């Protein structure tokens, strides 16, 4: 089959690889009908997460069940399903507590309680390095899905792939940010980052009753997308200090909720880059610092942008003085996906309006390049095998 294969930083190609096969009685094989490039894929593409051997990428995908293992009870051949990006067994200590991202059984070689830099990581993830199980991802014509009775969700034929594909990751991730912040209605929610996850967080803030939603970014076309698709007020961080801009919009207090939807690949100046070298750090916590400054006292910060290591000069004293509550981590897709399917079916949220590029799987290398460089007004790429 054809698949998008990571070889080294900045080098992905579409290669012929072996078709997946049933390896355990709980497996299913999907024929992929749609898959997407995620901002998290860029962390591998740009070398922020190490990966030595070649790996099929992709953790946002859906398709048609082609084959099932002998133990699979809830799926049958021909079912159309969308698949959460975490690989989870559904039966361990953490899965039973609706924390499937921490599954004890899906990352045998590198799982552990510590959460270290290169060892003792969490549960498995599709297409997301050997640190997280080394599973082949869904940017391919076919994909093996372990624990098929627990992860995949059947979707109605009345909904298009574009409408439901993002249930695999970015919609539940945006929902997680707002849920962890306990948005109940009437809040000002400021979302740093107007990429796909940030846009979903903005949409979810409205769904949960926010009074005001503010999107912050440095790229004009992404700010325009936030205005058009998420009805957000926007702040151009390349022209305006975002912290002061948020305070100006909130009577000097700051936002009730700030969401970091950028993570470690935030914009950095030369001084920050030199500091990274001195402290042996990769990336930056600049956006997290801005969230902590921009949130009001007693407010809440959600971090769904990815951070892959520890950082010096973490503003713990500022957080303590302001009494900020913080939630962060990978999205609990399995916990939220069924509710979100119903919200999509009801028409209360639209997700496909952020798609800017639909291309054949064979065009993936060029798509990665323009997405990474933020060229051609690229917000979200769908690959069609």
């Amino acid at each position: 089959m054809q698949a998008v294969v990571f070889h080294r930083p900045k080098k992905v190609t579409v290669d012929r690889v072996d078709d997946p096969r049933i390896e355990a009685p709980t497996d299913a094989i999907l024929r992929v009908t749609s898959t997407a490039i995620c901002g998290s894929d860029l962390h591998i593409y740009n070398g922020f997460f190490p990966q030595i051997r070649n790996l099929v990428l992709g953790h946002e995908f859906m398709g048609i069940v082609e084959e099932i293992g002998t133990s699979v009870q809830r799926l049958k051949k021909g079912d159309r399903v969308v698949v959460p990006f975490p690989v989870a067994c559904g039966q361990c200590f953490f899965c039973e507590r609706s924390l499937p991202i921490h599954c004890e059984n899906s990352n045998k070689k590198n799982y552990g309680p510590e959460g270290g830099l290169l060892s003792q990581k969490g549960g498995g993830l599709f297409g997301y390095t050997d640190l997280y199980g080394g599973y082949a991802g869904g940017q391919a014509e076919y994909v093996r899905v372990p624990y098929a009775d627990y992860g995949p969700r059947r979707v109605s034929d009345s909904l298009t792939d574009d409408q439901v594909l993002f249930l695999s990751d970015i919609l539940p991730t945006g929902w997680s940010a707002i849920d962890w912040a306990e948005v109940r209605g009437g809040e000002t929610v400021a979302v740093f980052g107007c990429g796909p996850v940030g846009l979903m967080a903005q949409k979810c803030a409205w769904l949960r009753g926010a009074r005001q939603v503010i999107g912050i970014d440095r790229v004009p076309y992404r700010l325009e997308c936030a205005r058009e698709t998420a009805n957000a007020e926007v702040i151009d961080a390349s022209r305006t200090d975002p912290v002061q801009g948020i305070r100006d919009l909130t009577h000097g207090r700051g936002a009730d909720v700030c969401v970091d939807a950028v993570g470690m690949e935030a914009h950095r100046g030369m001084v920050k880059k030199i500091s990274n070298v001195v402290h042996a750090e990769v990336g930056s916590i600049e956006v997290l610092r801005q969230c902590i400054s921009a949130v009001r006292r007693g407010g809440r910060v959600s971090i769904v942008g990815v951070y892959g290591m520890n950082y010096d000069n973490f503003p713990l004293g500022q957080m303590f003085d302001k009494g900020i509550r913080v939630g962060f981590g990978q999205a609990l897709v399995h916990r939220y996906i069924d509710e979100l399917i119903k919200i999509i079916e009801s028409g209360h949220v639209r997700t496909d309006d952020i798609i800017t590029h639909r291309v054949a799987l064979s065009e993936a290398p060029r798509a990665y390049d323009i997405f990474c460089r933020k060229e051609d007004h690229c917000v979200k790429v769908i690959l069609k095998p």
Side-chain angles (χ1 to χ4, degrees):
M1 67 172 184
Q2 285 193 321
V4 179
V5 179
F6 172 86
H7 295 273
R8 61 180 184 273
K10 300 290 200 230
K11 179 67 173 179
V12 298
T13 58
V14 178
D15 298 347
R16 285 284 178 185
V17 303
D18 291 340
D19 291 347
R21 58 182 178 82
I22 298 289
E23 298 180 15
T26 52
D27 287 351
I29 304 297
L30 260 62
R31 174 174 57 83
V32 178
T33 57
S34 292
T35 181
I37 301 175
C38 181
S40 295
D41 292 324
L42 295 183
H43 302 325
I44 305 171
Y45 181 76
N46 288 324
F48 282 76
F49 278 77
Q51 177 60 25
I52 303 302
R53 70 179 181 92
N54 295 348
L55 180 70
V56 178
L57 294 174
H59 57 270
E60 292 183 296
F61 60 89
M62 62 179 296
I64 307 298
V65 176
E66 291 290 311
E67 186 180 356
I68 57 173
T70 56
S71 296
V72 176
Q73 300 294 319
R74 297 183 180 179
L75 296 179
K76 64 182 185 302
K77 184 176 180 179
D79 281 347
R80 179 169 172 257
V81 297
V82 63
V83 182
F85 74 86
V87 181
C89 73
Q91 298 178 337
C92 69
F93 175 91
F94 290 105
C95 286
E96 287 182 343
R97 287 158 178 80
S98 295
L99 297 168
I101 197 70
H102 307 297
C103 177
E104 295 173 306
N105 293 321
S106 61
N107 188 10
K108 294 291 188 181
K109 290 184 179 179
N110 290 308
Y111 185 84
E114 183 68 17
L117 180 62
L118 295 174
S119 65
Q120 298 199 47
K121 309 299 283 186
L125 307 174
F126 284 103
Y128 213 77
T129 78
D130 290 334
L131 290 175
Y132 291 97
Y135 292 93
Q139 291 173 7
E141 292 180 304
Y142 296 89
V143 62
R144 180 177 74 93
V145 178
Y147 309 112
D149 272 338
Y150 185 60
R153 296 311 200 264
R154 286 187 293 270
V155 291
S156 169
D157 288 338
S158 65
L159 299 170
T160 67
D161 278 19
D162 287 355
Q163 288 177 286
V164 296
L165 174 61
F166 301 148
L167 288 160
S168 58
D169 179 358
I170 61 171
L171 181 58
T173 299
W175 185 267
S176 295
I178 303 306
D179 189 58
W180 295 342
E182 300 179 354
V183 173
R184 295 292 181 264
E187 296 90 349
T188 292
V189 178
V191 179
F192 285 74
C194 294
V197 168
L199 294 169
M200 292 298 143
Q202 292 165 36
K203 290 171 179 279
C204 291
W206 290 122
L207 286 171
R208 295 289 291 264
R211 179 183 62 84
Q212 181 181 34
V213 177
I214 304 167
I216 302 97
D217 208 288
R218 303 179 60 86
V219 181
Y221 76 80
R222 286 160 59 115
L223 292 167
E224 184 59 30
C225 190
R227 287 193 195 96
E228 292 182 355
T229 68
N231 195 32
E233 299 178 57
V234 299
I235 295 174
D236 185 343
S238 70
R239 297 174 176 269
T240 302
D241 173 10
V243 175
Q244 189 58 51
I246 291 168
R247 290 174 181 166
D248 289 344
L249 291 170
T250 56
H251 308 286
R253 287 187 293 268
D256 300 297
V257 172
C258 282
V259 175
D260 176 355
V262 176
M264 62 186 176
E265 289 201 60
H267 173 80
R268 293 172 294 156
M270 184 55 65
V271 172
K272 293 290 184 183
K273 291 180 180 179
I274 293 172
S275 176
N276 281 159
V277 174
V278 171
H279 294 105
E281 295 171 350
V282 175
S284 168
I285 61 168
E286 183 60 27
V287 167
L288 176 55
R289 290 181 182 279
Q290 292 174 342
C291 285
I292 291 166
S293 290
V295 74
R296 66 164 171 81
R297 288 182 172 276
R300 300 173 295 282
V301 173
S302 284
I303 306 165
V304 288
V306 174
Y307 290 93
M309 66 179 305
N310 299 321
Y311 291 89
D312 195 33
N313 295 320
F314 189 80
L316 186 59
Q318 183 185 13
M319 295 170 66
F320 184 89
D321 184 80
K322 294 183 71 171
I324 297 168
R325 288 173 286 167
V326 182
F328 47 92
Q330 299 278 12
L332 305 174
V333 181
H334 298 71
R335 177 186 291 186
Y336 298 126
I337 188 170
D338 296 322
E339 180 179 4
L340 291 169
I341 289 173
K342 292 178 182 177
I343 291 173
I344 289 175
E345 289 175 336
S346 72
H348 289 149
V349 68
R350 182 181 176 187
T351 60
D352 60 344
D353 54 355
I354 73 165
I355 299 170
T356 53
H357 294 69
R358 296 175 179 85
V359 301
L361 187 73
S362 60
E363 298 181 51
R366 171 60 179 158
Y368 264 90
D369 184 58
I370 64 172
F371 186 42
C372 182
R373 295 176 182 272
K374 299 182 176 67
E375 295 178 347
D376 197 29
H377 289 195
C378 185
V379 175
K380 190 65 174 178
V381 178
I382 303 298
L383 302 174
K384 303 293 288 187

